[in-house]
Amino acid sequence: MYRYTVLVALALVAAAYSLGTPQCTLSNKCTQVHQWMNDGVMNTQFACEITNMGSKPVTNADIRLNDNQNLYNTWEIATSNNGLSWDFVKWREQKPLAVGLSHSWGYIVKSDKPLNVEVCEKGFVNPPASPSPVHSAADASRHHPNHHNQDSSDHKDKVLKCESTLVQTIVNHYMGKDHLKYTQVDVTVHNTGEKSLTSVIFFSDVHFNSTWGMTEVDRINAPGNYEVIRKSSSLAVGSQQKFGYVFVSDNTAAPINLISNAC
Ligand SMILES: *[C@@H]1O[C@H](CO)[C@@H](O)[C@H](O)[C@H]1NC(C)=O
C-alpha cells in the first residue's frame, strides 16, 4: 500500500515535470511597514523583496501592480509604459540579481489595502498548450470578454496564479479570570492559485494574547505582519492549512488584511 502510494506520487511528479508547467523563478513577498492619514485618505507603505529562486542571475523582471489606480509612489522598480508593467531599476543591468538573493523595493498606495502584485522574470516563455488540468483552469479564467490590452493578457497566459484566501472561524469565546472577554479564532489559509505557496503574509494591528501556526515577520520593522506558511514546507495547490489566535474581544474575529502571497 505504502509502495503503491509512493509510485503514484512519483508518477504525478514525473507527469507535472513532463508537461513543462511554466515556473517563474522570481518570488515576491511584501509586508506592511507604515500607515497614515493624509487629507482624510489612508496611505499605506509596503516593503517588498523579490527573490531569485532559479539557477541563474536575473537582470530584468516583469512586475505587475494590478488595479493600481491608487498607487502613489514606488522605489527600486521602474516602468517605461506608464505603469502597465514594471522592471528592476537600471543598476540591476550592471548587477544582476544573483541566485538566492533578493531585490528590495516598495510602494505607497492611497488605500488601506495592498495591491495585487505579480512578479516573473522578463520574457518568460509560455510553453506550448498542453491538456493538463492546470492549463484548462487557466484557459477558462483568461477568456475575458474585452481584453483590449494585448500585453496584459499575454502576461496572464504566462504566469500561473499565486493566490490564497483566509477564512476565519470563531471556535470559542469566554470570560477570562481577569474578567476580560476572549475570543478564540481558527483561520484556514487555502491555496486558491495554480502554484505551491511558500509564504502568505497578513497584517493585523490587534494585540494577540496567544497564537499558533503564525509568526510575526519582523517585530521592529514590520510590526503586525504575520507569516503563516512554514519556510520548510509549502502549501500545495488546492490544499489548506490552519493557524489561529486568541485575543480580547466579545465574540468577534480580528480584522486581518492579506498582504502578500509568494510561490
Ligand atoms: C491579553 O491582552 C490584553 C491587551 O490587549 C491584556 O490587557 C490582557 O491582560 C492580556 N491577557 C492575558 C491573559 O495575558
Side-chain angles (χ1 to χ4, degrees), residues 178 180 182 207 209 248:
D178 50 12
L180 293 171
Y182 289 89
H207 171 84
N209 290 90
V248 174

Side-chain angles (χ1 to χ4, degrees), residues 36-43 110-112:
W36 66 97
M37 286 296 268
N38 191 13
D39 287 338
V41 179
M42 193 64 94
N43 287 228
K110 291 189 167 297
S111 163
D112 60 350

Side-chain angles (χ1 to χ4, degrees), residues 187-206:
V187 191
T188 303
V189 50
H190 194 131
N191 184 344
T192 51
E194 298 156 347
K195 298 166 79 175
S196 282
L197 282 164
T198 54
S199 164
V200 172
I201 295 172
F202 73 90
F203 176 84
S204 184
D205 59 4
V206 309

Side-chain angles (χ1 to χ4, degrees), residues 27-47:
S27 173
N28 181 66
K29 262 193 213 185
C30 296
T31 50
Q32 176 173 325
V33 291
H34 204 40
Q35 191 165 59
W36 66 97
M37 286 296 268
N38 191 13
D39 287 338
V41 179
M42 193 64 94
N43 287 228
T44 313
Q45 179 177 334
F46 295 91

Side-chain angles (χ1 to χ4, degrees), residues 98-113:
V99 173
L101 293 191
S102 300
H103 177 85
S104 298
W105 65 283
Y107 69 93
I108 293 172
V109 64
K110 291 189 167 297
S111 163
D112 60 350
K113 303 240 164 27

